[in-house]
Amino acid sequence: MTLTAPARPSPLSRTSSVRRAWRTLSPYAYLAPFFTLFAAFGLFPLIYTAFVSLYRVELQTPGDMEWRGLGNYTALLNDEFFWTALRNTFTIGVISTVPQLVMALGLAHLLNHRLRGRTFFRTAMLLPYATSVAAATLVFAQLFGHDFGLVNYALGLVGIGPVDWQTGTLASQVAVSTIVVWRWTGYNALIYLAGMQSIPQELYEAAEMDGASRLRQFFHVTLPGLRPTIVFTVIVSTIGATQLFGEPLLFEGSASGGISHQYQTLGLYMYEQGWGFFHLGRAAAIAWVMFLLILVVVGVNALIVRRRSRKEAGR
Protein backbone atom coordinates (compact mmCIF):
# COMPACT_ATOMS: atom_id res chain seq x y z
CA MET A 1 0.00 0.00 0.00
CA THR A 2 1.32 3.40 -0.99
CA LEU A 3 0.80 6.44 1.26
CA THR A 4 0.79 9.90 -0.27
CA ALA A 5 1.30 13.09 1.73
CA PRO A 6 -1.53 15.69 1.55
CA ALA A 7 -0.90 18.40 -0.94
CA ARG A 8 0.28 21.63 0.60
CA PRO A 9 -1.46 24.80 -0.49
CA SER A 10 0.58 26.72 -2.94
CA PRO A 11 1.86 30.20 -2.00
CA LEU A 12 -0.39 31.60 -4.73
CA SER A 13 -3.55 30.18 -3.14
CA ARG A 14 -2.49 31.50 0.27
CA THR A 15 -1.99 34.96 -1.17
CA SER A 16 -5.40 34.93 -2.85
CA SER A 17 -7.14 33.83 0.37
CA VAL A 18 -5.39 36.60 2.32
CA ARG A 19 -6.49 39.11 -0.29
CA ARG A 20 -10.09 37.91 -0.11
CA ALA A 21 -10.04 38.15 3.67
CA TRP A 22 -8.58 41.65 3.49
CA ARG A 23 -11.22 42.75 0.98
CA THR A 24 -13.90 41.49 3.37
CA LEU A 25 -12.46 43.02 6.53
CA SER A 26 -10.88 46.22 5.18
CA PRO A 27 -14.13 48.28 5.19
CA TYR A 28 -14.56 47.47 8.88
CA ALA A 29 -10.93 48.42 9.53
CA TYR A 30 -11.48 51.80 7.87
CA LEU A 31 -14.64 52.40 9.92
CA ALA A 32 -13.12 51.19 13.20
CA PRO A 33 -11.61 54.57 14.24
CA PHE A 34 -14.98 56.31 13.86
CA PHE A 35 -16.90 53.68 15.79
CA THR A 36 -14.21 53.63 18.48
CA LEU A 37 -14.45 57.40 18.98
CA PHE A 38 -18.25 57.27 18.80
CA ALA A 39 -18.39 54.54 21.43
CA ALA A 40 -15.98 56.39 23.72
CA PHE A 41 -17.36 59.92 23.40
CA GLY A 42 -20.92 59.36 22.20
CA LEU A 43 -22.44 56.04 23.16
CA PHE A 44 -20.77 55.57 26.55
CA PRO A 45 -21.67 59.07 27.87
CA LEU A 46 -25.25 58.54 26.68
CA ILE A 47 -25.59 55.22 28.51
CA TYR A 48 -23.77 56.48 31.60
CA THR A 49 -25.99 59.57 31.74
CA ALA A 50 -29.06 57.32 31.69
CA PHE A 51 -27.49 55.31 34.52
CA VAL A 52 -26.71 58.41 36.60
CA SER A 53 -30.24 59.79 36.08
CA LEU A 54 -31.57 56.91 38.20
CA TYR A 55 -29.43 57.87 41.20
CA ARG A 56 -29.03 60.80 43.53
CA VAL A 57 -25.52 62.07 42.84
CA GLU A 58 -24.01 65.30 44.11
CA LEU A 59 -21.12 67.08 42.46
CA GLN A 60 -19.16 67.33 45.71
CA THR A 61 -19.38 63.56 46.35
CA PRO A 62 -19.75 61.84 42.95
CA GLY A 63 -18.82 58.47 44.46
CA ASP A 64 -21.81 58.42 46.83
CA MET A 65 -24.76 57.28 44.74
CA GLU A 66 -28.21 56.72 46.19
CA TRP A 67 -30.75 54.77 44.16
CA ARG A 68 -33.83 56.84 43.27
CA GLY A 69 -35.27 55.04 40.27
CA LEU A 70 -37.53 57.46 38.44
CA GLY A 71 -37.43 59.90 41.35
CA ASN A 72 -35.38 62.46 39.43
CA TYR A 73 -37.90 62.41 36.59
CA THR A 74 -40.91 62.77 38.87
CA ALA A 75 -39.15 65.64 40.65
CA LEU A 76 -38.82 67.39 37.30
CA LEU A 77 -42.52 67.01 36.58
CA ASN A 78 -43.30 68.65 39.91
CA ASP A 79 -40.85 71.52 39.43
CA GLU A 80 -42.45 74.68 38.05
CA PHE A 81 -39.09 75.92 36.78
CA PHE A 82 -38.81 72.85 34.55
CA TRP A 83 -42.11 73.69 32.86
CA THR A 84 -41.03 77.32 32.59
CA ALA A 85 -37.78 76.26 30.90
CA LEU A 86 -39.69 73.92 28.59
CA ARG A 87 -42.11 76.70 27.61
CA ASN A 88 -39.27 79.16 27.09
CA THR A 89 -37.41 76.66 24.93
CA PHE A 90 -40.48 76.22 22.73
CA THR A 91 -41.17 79.96 22.50
CA ILE A 92 -37.57 80.96 21.73
CA GLY A 93 -37.32 78.07 19.28
CA VAL A 94 -40.34 79.27 17.32
CA ILE A 95 -39.33 82.95 17.43
CA SER A 96 -35.81 82.16 16.23
CA THR A 97 -36.41 79.28 13.81
CA VAL A 98 -39.31 80.58 11.71
CA PRO A 99 -37.85 84.04 10.82
CA GLN A 100 -34.42 82.51 10.42
CA LEU A 101 -35.48 79.97 7.80
CA VAL A 102 -37.77 82.41 5.98
CA MET A 103 -34.99 85.00 5.72
CA ALA A 104 -32.48 82.33 4.71
CA LEU A 105 -34.80 81.18 1.93
CA GLY A 106 -35.20 84.73 0.63
CA LEU A 107 -31.47 85.44 0.73
CA ALA A 108 -30.70 82.18 -1.06
CA HIS A 109 -33.24 83.06 -3.76
CA LEU A 110 -31.53 86.43 -4.30
CA LEU A 111 -28.05 84.91 -4.39
CA ASN A 112 -29.21 82.27 -6.86
CA HIS A 113 -29.56 84.96 -9.54
CA ARG A 114 -26.70 86.62 -11.30
CA LEU A 115 -25.48 89.46 -9.13
CA ARG A 116 -22.28 91.41 -9.07
CA GLY A 117 -20.05 90.29 -6.26
CA ARG A 118 -21.93 87.04 -5.61
CA THR A 119 -18.80 85.41 -4.22
CA PHE A 120 -18.34 88.24 -1.73
CA PHE A 121 -21.94 88.02 -0.52
CA ARG A 122 -21.77 84.23 -0.19
CA THR A 123 -18.61 84.53 1.87
CA ALA A 124 -20.11 87.29 4.01
CA MET A 125 -23.05 85.00 4.79
CA LEU A 126 -20.76 82.76 6.83
CA LEU A 127 -19.16 85.52 8.89
CA PRO A 128 -21.84 85.49 11.63
CA TYR A 129 -21.61 81.69 11.81
CA ALA A 130 -17.82 81.88 12.14
CA THR A 131 -18.04 84.50 14.88
CA SER A 132 -17.64 83.27 18.44
CA VAL A 133 -20.95 82.87 20.24
CA ALA A 134 -19.47 84.59 23.29
CA ALA A 135 -18.34 87.64 21.32
CA ALA A 136 -21.62 87.89 19.41
CA THR A 137 -23.75 87.58 22.53
CA LEU A 138 -21.76 90.18 24.44
CA VAL A 139 -22.12 92.64 21.56
CA PHE A 140 -25.87 92.04 21.31
CA ALA A 141 -26.20 92.42 25.08
CA GLN A 142 -24.77 95.92 24.70
CA LEU A 143 -27.03 96.67 21.74
CA PHE A 144 -30.09 95.67 23.77
CA GLY A 145 -29.04 97.66 26.83
CA HIS A 146 -31.81 99.56 28.59
CA ASP A 147 -30.14 102.95 29.06
CA PHE A 148 -27.41 103.18 26.44
CA GLY A 149 -28.35 100.42 23.98
CA LEU A 150 -28.40 101.23 20.28
CA VAL A 151 -31.72 99.41 19.79
CA ASN A 152 -33.54 101.58 22.34
CA TYR A 153 -31.89 104.65 20.84
CA ALA A 154 -33.25 103.71 17.40
CA LEU A 155 -36.69 103.09 18.89
CA GLY A 156 -36.57 106.51 20.55
CA LEU A 157 -36.01 108.14 17.16
CA VAL A 158 -39.42 106.89 16.01
CA GLY A 159 -41.17 107.81 19.24
CA ILE A 160 -41.10 104.45 21.04
CA GLY A 161 -40.04 104.39 24.68
CA PRO A 162 -37.12 102.29 25.94
CA VAL A 163 -37.75 98.57 26.26
CA ASP A 164 -36.31 96.53 29.12
CA TRP A 165 -34.82 93.75 27.00
CA GLN A 166 -33.37 91.83 29.94
CA THR A 167 -36.30 91.91 32.35
CA GLY A 168 -39.38 91.63 30.19
CA THR A 169 -40.45 88.10 29.29
CA LEU A 170 -41.27 88.56 25.61
CA ALA A 171 -38.65 91.26 25.11
CA SER A 172 -35.82 89.13 26.51
CA GLN A 173 -36.89 86.13 24.45
CA VAL A 174 -36.95 88.28 21.33
CA ALA A 175 -33.48 89.60 22.13
CA VAL A 176 -32.05 86.09 22.60
CA SER A 177 -33.81 84.91 19.43
CA THR A 178 -32.29 87.81 17.50
CA ILE A 179 -28.80 86.54 18.33
CA VAL A 180 -29.71 83.08 17.08
CA VAL A 181 -31.24 84.49 13.90
CA TRP A 182 -28.17 86.63 13.23
CA ARG A 183 -25.77 83.71 13.68
CA TRP A 184 -27.57 81.01 11.70
CA THR A 185 -29.44 82.74 8.88
CA GLY A 186 -26.43 82.90 6.57
CA TYR A 187 -25.52 79.28 7.24
CA ASN A 188 -29.01 78.07 6.29
CA ALA A 189 -29.05 80.43 3.30
CA LEU A 190 -25.99 78.70 1.85
CA ILE A 191 -27.62 75.31 2.39
CA TYR A 192 -30.71 76.52 0.54
CA LEU A 193 -28.52 78.00 -2.19
CA ALA A 194 -26.82 74.64 -2.72
CA GLY A 195 -30.24 72.99 -2.94
CA MET A 196 -31.48 75.57 -5.47
CA GLN A 197 -28.48 75.01 -7.70
CA SER A 198 -29.27 71.30 -7.83
CA ILE A 199 -32.74 71.95 -9.30
CA PRO A 200 -32.67 71.28 -13.08
CA GLN A 201 -32.69 74.48 -15.11
CA GLU A 202 -35.05 72.89 -17.61
CA LEU A 203 -37.89 73.17 -15.09
CA TYR A 204 -37.48 76.94 -14.92
CA GLU A 205 -37.29 77.18 -18.70
CA ALA A 206 -40.48 75.16 -19.09
CA ALA A 207 -42.27 77.29 -16.48
CA GLU A 208 -41.11 80.46 -18.23
CA MET A 209 -42.38 79.20 -21.57
CA ASP A 210 -45.76 78.58 -19.93
CA GLY A 211 -45.84 82.23 -18.87
CA ALA A 212 -45.04 81.75 -15.17
CA SER A 213 -43.63 84.79 -13.43
CA ARG A 214 -40.60 84.73 -11.12
CA LEU A 215 -42.90 84.54 -8.11
CA ARG A 216 -44.88 81.60 -9.50
CA GLN A 217 -41.64 79.85 -10.45
CA PHE A 218 -40.46 80.24 -6.87
CA PHE A 219 -43.62 78.70 -5.39
CA HIS A 220 -44.17 75.97 -8.00
CA VAL A 221 -40.60 75.02 -8.96
CA THR A 222 -38.14 76.17 -6.31
CA LEU A 223 -40.06 75.24 -3.16
CA PRO A 224 -41.04 71.71 -4.31
CA GLY A 225 -37.45 71.09 -5.37
CA LEU A 226 -36.18 72.33 -2.01
CA ARG A 227 -38.55 70.23 0.10
CA PRO A 228 -35.89 67.70 1.31
CA THR A 229 -33.51 70.58 2.09
CA ILE A 230 -36.21 72.48 3.98
CA VAL A 231 -37.06 69.39 6.03
CA PHE A 232 -33.37 68.98 6.86
CA THR A 233 -32.96 72.60 8.00
CA VAL A 234 -36.17 72.45 10.05
CA ILE A 235 -34.98 69.34 11.87
CA VAL A 236 -31.47 70.70 12.48
CA SER A 237 -32.81 74.09 13.62
CA THR A 238 -35.27 72.39 15.96
CA ILE A 239 -32.50 70.32 17.51
CA GLY A 240 -30.38 73.45 17.90
CA ALA A 241 -33.27 75.33 19.52
CA THR A 242 -33.82 72.48 21.98
CA GLN A 243 -30.14 72.56 22.96
CA LEU A 244 -29.87 76.37 23.08
CA PHE A 245 -27.38 77.29 25.79
CA GLY A 246 -24.65 79.81 24.97
CA GLU A 247 -26.79 82.75 23.88
CA PRO A 248 -29.14 82.85 26.90
CA LEU A 249 -26.29 82.13 29.32
CA LEU A 250 -24.09 84.99 28.14
CA PHE A 251 -26.90 87.46 27.46
CA GLU A 252 -27.04 88.43 31.13
CA GLY A 253 -24.38 86.13 32.56
CA SER A 254 -26.76 84.14 34.74
CA ALA A 255 -27.76 80.48 34.56
CA SER A 256 -31.22 81.33 35.90
CA GLY A 257 -32.19 83.02 32.65
CA GLY A 258 -33.21 86.33 34.13
CA ILE A 259 -34.71 87.44 37.40
CA SER A 260 -37.91 85.45 36.93
CA HIS A 261 -36.41 82.73 34.70
CA GLN A 262 -38.12 84.45 31.79
CA TYR A 263 -35.69 83.16 29.14
CA GLN A 264 -34.18 80.12 30.85
CA THR A 265 -34.03 77.24 28.37
CA LEU A 266 -33.74 73.54 29.10
CA GLY A 267 -29.99 73.75 28.48
CA LEU A 268 -29.65 76.52 31.07
CA TYR A 269 -31.91 74.65 33.49
CA MET A 270 -29.73 71.55 33.19
CA TYR A 271 -26.59 73.62 33.75
CA GLU A 272 -28.12 75.30 36.80
CA GLN A 273 -29.14 71.99 38.36
CA GLY A 274 -25.83 70.27 37.69
CA TRP A 275 -23.24 73.00 38.23
CA GLY A 276 -25.23 75.56 40.19
CA PHE A 277 -27.03 73.33 42.68
CA PHE A 278 -24.65 70.33 42.23
CA HIS A 279 -27.48 67.84 41.51
CA LEU A 280 -25.81 65.68 38.87
CA GLY A 281 -28.54 63.03 38.95
CA ARG A 282 -31.25 65.55 38.18
CA ALA A 283 -29.10 67.19 35.50
CA ALA A 284 -28.68 63.79 33.86
CA ALA A 285 -32.45 63.32 33.93
CA ILE A 286 -32.91 66.70 32.23
CA ALA A 287 -30.41 65.69 29.56
CA TRP A 288 -32.41 62.55 28.83
CA VAL A 289 -35.67 64.49 28.71
CA MET A 290 -34.08 66.78 26.12
CA PHE A 291 -32.89 63.75 24.17
CA LEU A 292 -36.38 62.22 24.18
CA LEU A 293 -37.92 65.54 23.12
CA ILE A 294 -35.55 65.70 20.15
CA LEU A 295 -36.50 62.15 19.17
CA VAL A 296 -40.19 63.03 19.34
CA VAL A 297 -39.76 66.18 17.25
CA VAL A 298 -37.68 64.40 14.62
CA GLY A 299 -40.14 61.51 14.54
CA VAL A 300 -43.11 63.84 14.06
CA ASN A 301 -41.34 65.67 11.23
CA ALA A 302 -40.44 62.39 9.55
CA LEU A 303 -44.03 61.17 9.88
CA ILE A 304 -45.43 64.36 8.35
CA VAL A 305 -42.98 64.22 5.45
CA ARG A 306 -43.75 60.53 4.82
CA ARG A 307 -47.50 61.09 4.76
CA ARG A 308 -47.16 64.03 2.41
CA SER A 309 -44.93 62.04 0.09
CA ARG A 310 -47.49 59.23 -0.01
CA LYS A 311 -50.30 61.65 -0.82
CA GLU A 312 -48.29 63.17 -3.67
CA ALA A 313 -47.33 59.72 -4.96
CA GLY A 314 -51.00 58.69 -4.97
CA ARG A 315 -52.09 61.63 -7.14
Side-chain angles (χ1 to χ4, degrees):
M1 183 174 60
T2 305
L3 298 177
T4 57
R8 296 182 177 179
S10 62
L12 185 60
S13 62
R14 289 181 179 177
T15 304
S16 60
S17 62
V18 170
R19 287 179 178 176
R20 285 195 299 269
W22 171 248
R23 289 176 182 175
T24 304
L25 299 177
S26 59
Y28 301 99
Y30 295 138
L31 294 175
F34 166 76
F35 283 108
T36 302
L37 293 175
F38 173 75
F41 299 102
L43 187 60
F44 173 74
L46 186 66
I47 297 175
Y48 186 72
T49 302
F51 172 77
V52 172
S53 68
L54 303 177
Y55 288 84
R56 179 175 182 177
V57 187
E58 301 298 324
L59 184 62
Q60 304 94 327
T61 57
D64 299 335
M65 304 177 68
E66 178 185 347
W67 171 259
R68 292 200 63 187
L70 299 178
N72 288 324
Y73 295 93
T74 56
L76 290 180
L77 299 179
N78 296 323
D79 189 358
E80 61 175 339
F81 293 122
F82 166 74
W83 295 107
T84 301
L86 181 61
R87 183 175 61 252
N88 293 340
T89 301
F90 175 78
T91 305
I92 295 176
V94 172
I95 297 175
S96 61
T97 300
V98 175
Q100 172 193 153
L101 297 183
V102 172
M103 292 171 58
L105 193 59
L107 291 173
H109 184 64
L110 291 176
L111 292 176
N112 195 33
H113 297 289
R114 293 184 177 180
L115 297 174
R116 291 185 177 180
R118 283 190 305 174
T119 304
F120 169 76
F121 289 115
R122 292 176 183 178
T123 305
M125 288 290 179
L126 281 178
L127 290 180
Y129 171 72
T131 305
S132 170
V133 61
T137 305
L138 292 177
V139 170
F140 272 89
Q142 297 298 320
L143 293 176
F144 285 103
H146 181 269
D147 297 323
F148 305 102
L150 184 61
V151 176
N152 279 341
Y153 174 77
L155 292 177
L157 295 178
V158 294
I160 301 177
V163 179
D164 196 348
W165 296 101
Q166 295 183 342
T167 304
T169 301
L170 182 59
S172 60
Q173 292 179 1
V174 170
V176 173
S177 301
T178 303
I179 307 172
V180 180
V181 171
W182 180 82
R183 291 195 67 237
W184 292 97
T185 298
Y187 175 82
N188 288 309
L190 292 183
I191 294 179
Y192 286 147
L193 179 61
M196 289 179 182
Q197 292 179 346
S198 65
I199 299 175
Q201 192 65 27
E202 292 80 5
L203 297 178
Y204 291 100
E205 295 175 357
E208 188 175 359
M209 292 179 63
D210 291 338
S213 61
R214 286 287 181 88
L215 185 62
R216 295 183 65 87
Q217 290 178 26
F218 176 77
F219 283 104
H220 295 282
V221 179
T222 304
L223 286 184
L226 279 180
R227 185 170 300 159
T229 309
I230 293 175
V231 172
F232 169 76
T233 54
V234 168
I235 292 176
V236 172
S237 299
T238 304
I239 293 174
T242 307
Q243 298 176 337
L244 193 61
F245 175 74
E247 290 85 350
L249 175 65
L250 297 172
F251 183 65
E252 195 182 8
S254 172
S256 61
I259 299 176
S260 58
H261 299 254
Q262 66 268 16
Y263 60 90
Q264 185 183 50
T265 59
L266 285 175
L268 273 185
Y269 180 67
M270 178 184 65
Y271 178 81
E272 183 184 42
Q273 291 293 323
W275 284 264
F277 302 147
F278 310 128
H279 303 322
L280 293 184
R282 185 173 295 188
I286 299 169
W288 260 88
V289 169
M290 294 171 60
F291 176 70
L292 295 178
L293 285 176
I294 291 174
L295 289 182
V296 170
V297 171
V298 173
V300 170
N301 284 328
L303 183 62
I304 294 174
V305 171
R306 184 177 300 178
R307 286 187 176 182
R308 188 163 184 175
S309 300
R310 288 179 179 177
K311 287 182 180 180
E312 292 182 353
R315 292 179 181 176

